Amino acid sequence: MASRTPRRARPGLFARMLGAVGLTRSDAGGAPLTRPAAAYYHGAVANRTTMDFLASRVSPDAAVFADLRSLRNRARTLERDNGWARRYVDLVEENLVGPDGYGLQIDTADGADAPDAGHDAAPGVADDVADDAAATLGELVEAAWLEFTTREHCCVDGRRSFTDLEALAARRWQGADGEAFVQIVPGRGKFGVQFEPLDADLLDETFHRAASTAADGSRIHEIRAGVEVDAANRPVAYWFWTRHPDEAITGAGSAVRQARRRVPAAFVVHLYDEDRPGQTRGVTRFAPVVINTHRLGALQEAVLIQQHVAACQGGWLKPTSDDAMPLLTAEEQAAGQQLTMEMEPGVWRTLPPGYTPEAVQPAMPGEQYTPFTTDVKHELAAGLGVSYMSLTGDLKGTSFSSGRMGLGPERRRWRRKQIQFRDGFHVPLFRAWLTYASLTGALPLAPRDLAAIAAAAEWLLPGWDYVDPTKDADAALTEVANTMNSLTAVMAAKGRDFRTVARQRARERRLLKRLGLPVDVTLTPQRAPDGVAADGSPSDPASDDA
């Protein structure tokens, strides 16, 4: 029978407090009553050097609910007033949404099969699709979606296009709020549905309700921070305030009764990052760096003021002897009056007899200021999940190869977030639009086609420009030539639709032929000389190996 390791007795609270400072209790004979327990892991050591390392074990929601409002408000303040925080939020929009947003592509057939008689073009679709005899059913749906995404049809308030909605949701989700909400509102507009973004403050994080059983035996669901969940912790509904709880309302009769409205979860898109299983609400991305970002801003403001004072050169008029001519009468001195002399650029003034100027020179920042703030910015960049180069725009010491290495992991992280954005935002919103547009007749689809269209829908994620356009383009074409990649995939990596580009090229060829210009135009990129980048600037020789 295998021996069993005896369980280590856990000392009491008082004994642990004594052990933290190196003391133990003893009996009358001097023998220790308890022995400080040794930690199995160094990170769990409890002694006087780790007494300020406070840790607690709480549930995911308990940790979030306690600090959610404070963290969000502080992060929003940074977003408004701190340049580094604002730059990060701009990076979110640039990398998650890009200039044109996500493109929809629906491949319902391998060839250019024309829709049958039951698939007429939706009213108002783009002419270059509706008039194309070879247009597929997928292309007709794409054109109708393109019309819906305009400002006129997309949102309830008519203030934003779908690309604007993408940018707003991305900034709230990955920015100061840590979560984004969009409500699907049926029965509105030409396509039978519109979308409405909702502020995170409308979902009260202090609204909780325990699960119970009603008199008729039905289950009353639990509510956690405004989210109603079932026994499996699956969202059932969201309880939103009818208006912002802190909105200032003025004017006679402005007392408006605040109330909550229950919105089924099927009509709400809720974007947030789940850090632990069972987490109900999202936490701002600024949480790890919110304090240091604030302190860095305060430090820079103090240094800026210090430099401003130093630039306003001032000084004192110091008497050189006891018999110097008094500048103020005794009465003026008793009244506390001061004598000032204003200085102007390029002007030399005559000083009173017996006085000499003594300049006041405020201290300048030391040599360690720049390295210190650079280290802090590196920490901010790491905490926000971006590169120091992207956050600050500081390219000093960055070579061609190191820039590519730095952008690689960052772009992989953004690609992961793009996929999460696609699955949690675009897919449910598009499927809701597809359903209601077909029900209202704005999109004439047979019921059998809805599932096929929804399954065939693909989203073109925003891409990035090449770091070295010539080399990267040559590498992509080499992969295509060796059947290691496709033109569709190459263009999709840059956020382009191959079919759209192909149609544009076809129209260009027809126009060139009609004008009698050469049709087969092959543009071969010119290679830059060794040691010179594609833009003509000096290149790092090591980049050839990158």
Side-chain angles (χ1 to χ4, degrees):
M1 181 175 179
S3 61
R4 185 176 181 181
T5 303
R7 185 176 182 181
R8 184 176 60 177
R10 181 176 177 85
L13 175 62
F14 185 67
R16 295 200 304 272
M17 293 174 61
L18 292 176
V21 294
L23 300 177
T24 58
R25 297 176 62 189
S26 60
D27 58 16
L33 295 177
T34 59
R35 176 173 298 175
Y40 291 118
Y41 291 91
H42 182 68
V45 168
N47 54 37
R48 60 182 177 79
T49 65
T50 59
M51 291 183 67
D52 63 339
F53 195 160
L54 304 179
S56 59
R57 184 181 69 177
V58 295
S59 70
D61 279 346
V64 172
F65 297 165
D67 300 326
L68 180 61
R69 181 177 298 183
S70 177
L71 282 173
R72 189 166 60 212
N73 290 341
R74 288 181 175 182
R76 287 174 176 173
T77 299
L78 292 177
E79 184 181 355
R80 290 192 300 266
D81 300 334
N82 185 280
W84 304 117
R86 191 70 179 185
R87 172 55 185 155
Y88 166 73
V89 176
D90 289 340
L91 283 175
V92 169
E93 182 176 342
E94 293 170 9
N95 288 278
L96 275 188
V97 180
D100 303 314
Y102 288 48
L104 176 64
Q105 178 177 292
I106 303 176
D107 285 324
T108 55
D110 294 334
D113 298 334
D116 55 36
H119 298 139
D120 297 330
V125 300
D127 294 338
D128 60 340
V129 174
D131 294 341
D132 188 353
T136 65
L137 174 61
E139 290 171 334
L140 297 178
V141 175
E142 290 176 19
W145 169 257
L146 188 63
E147 181 187 0
F148 168 77
T149 58
T150 61
R151 182 174 297 185
E152 178 184 359
H153 301 292
C154 179
C155 290
V156 171
D157 56 12
R159 295 181 179 180
R160 59 191 68 83
S161 66
F162 190 76
T163 303
D164 298 332
L165 184 64
E166 289 175 308
L168 179 62
R171 295 172 78 97
R172 301 332 306 161
W173 165 40
Q174 285 297 297
D177 290 358
E179 54 188 352
F181 299 92
V182 176
Q183 182 179 347
I184 299 169
V185 184
R188 295 183 61 94
K190 172 182 177 180
F191 293 89
V193 67
Q194 289 180 324
F195 306 139
E196 181 181 8
L198 300 175
D199 191 86
D201 291 345
L202 294 178
L203 196 64
D204 187 1
E205 68 275 3
T206 65
F207 181 39
H208 308 284
R209 184 184 70 190
S212 60
T213 303
D216 59 358
S218 61
R219 178 178 176 82
I220 300 178
H221 293 128
E222 179 184 7
I223 297 178
R224 304 175 67 86
V227 182
E228 182 179 337
V229 295
D230 60 15
N233 205 32
R234 187 184 186 93
V236 176
Y238 291 81
W239 291 78
F240 292 104
W241 289 114
T242 54
R243 62 190 318 126
H244 195 283
D246 297 319
E247 183 175 4
I249 307 174
T250 60
S254 61
V256 178
R257 179 178 174 81
Q258 184 69 288
R260 295 185 180 95
R261 60 188 182 95
R262 184 180 184 272
V263 181
F267 296 95
V268 177
V269 168
H270 182 192
L271 279 172
Y272 70 99
D273 290 336
E274 187 180 18
D275 298 320
R276 294 174 60 187
Q279 181 178 327
T280 307
R281 299 287 299 269
V283 179
T284 173
R285 182 70 193 182
F286 287 98
V289 298
V290 65
I291 297 296
N292 284 351
T293 304
H294 168 69
R295 288 174 175 168
L296 176 62
L299 171 64
Q300 291 178 315
E301 181 181 11
V303 171
L304 184 61
I305 293 175
Q306 183 184 41
Q307 296 300 298
H308 177 71
V309 172
C312 300
Q313 184 70 37
W316 310 95
L317 293 179
K318 183 178 180 180
T320 57
S321 62
D322 295 338
D323 57 352
M325 181 184 71
L327 302 180
L328 295 173
T329 64
E331 292 78 7
E332 291 173 336
Q333 293 181 14
Q337 295 187 19
Q338 299 287 333
L339 183 66
T340 60
M341 176 183 293
E342 294 186 0
M343 303 296 293
E344 299 179 18
V347 176
W348 292 82
R349 296 188 181 276
T350 302
L351 298 179
Y355 288 86
T356 183
E358 182 176 319
V360 176
Q361 308 223 357
M364 303 290 285
E367 295 180 356
Q368 297 302 317
Y369 172 77
T370 298
F372 172 74
T373 55
T374 299
D375 286 344
V376 176
K377 294 171 190 175
H378 274 287
E379 180 196 354
L380 301 186
L384 293 172
V386 297
S387 67
Y388 170 81
M389 177 178 61
S390 297
L391 181 66
T392 65
D394 183 5
L395 301 180
K396 294 191 297 292
T398 303
S399 64
F400 214 62
S401 56
S402 64
R404 297 181 65 166
M405 292 177 63
L407 288 175
E410 180 183 359
R411 288 183 174 178
R412 284 192 291 272
R413 176 187 174 274
W414 285 124
R415 181 64 78 188
R416 174 67 187 90
K417 289 301 176 183
Q418 288 177 349
I419 295 173
Q420 189 177 352
F421 196 30
R422 176 198 65 191
D423 296 343
F425 181 83
H426 296 81
V427 171
L429 291 183
F430 171 73
R431 290 185 175 180
W433 170 83
L434 188 66
T435 299
Y436 288 104
S438 62
L439 290 175
T440 58
L443 189 62
L445 290 177
R448 59 184 172 84
D449 293 324
L450 288 178
I453 290 292
E458 297 181 0
W459 295 92
L460 300 175
L461 308 182
W464 297 275
D465 292 331
Y466 292 130
V467 177
D468 188 343
T470 301
K471 293 181 180 179
D472 292 341
D474 287 347
L477 292 177
T478 300
E479 290 183 352
V480 172
N482 292 306
T483 66
M484 299 171 60
N485 206 342
S486 66
L487 290 174
T488 300
V490 170
M491 292 188 180
K494 294 180 68 64
R496 300 173 184 169
D497 181 6
F498 171 73
R499 292 182 304 165
T500 299
V501 174
R503 283 196 292 263
Q504 290 174 347
R505 292 293 305 273
R507 287 196 295 269
E508 290 174 350
R509 289 173 64 88
R510 290 195 296 267
L511 177 61
L512 291 173
K513 186 175 181 180
R514 187 167 66 249
L515 297 177
L517 298 174
V519 175
D520 295 326
V521 179
T522 301
L523 300 179
T524 303
Q526 299 294 324
R527 290 187 175 274
D530 293 338
V532 178
D535 60 358
S537 59
S539 175
D540 178 15
S543 64
D544 294 338
D545 300 328

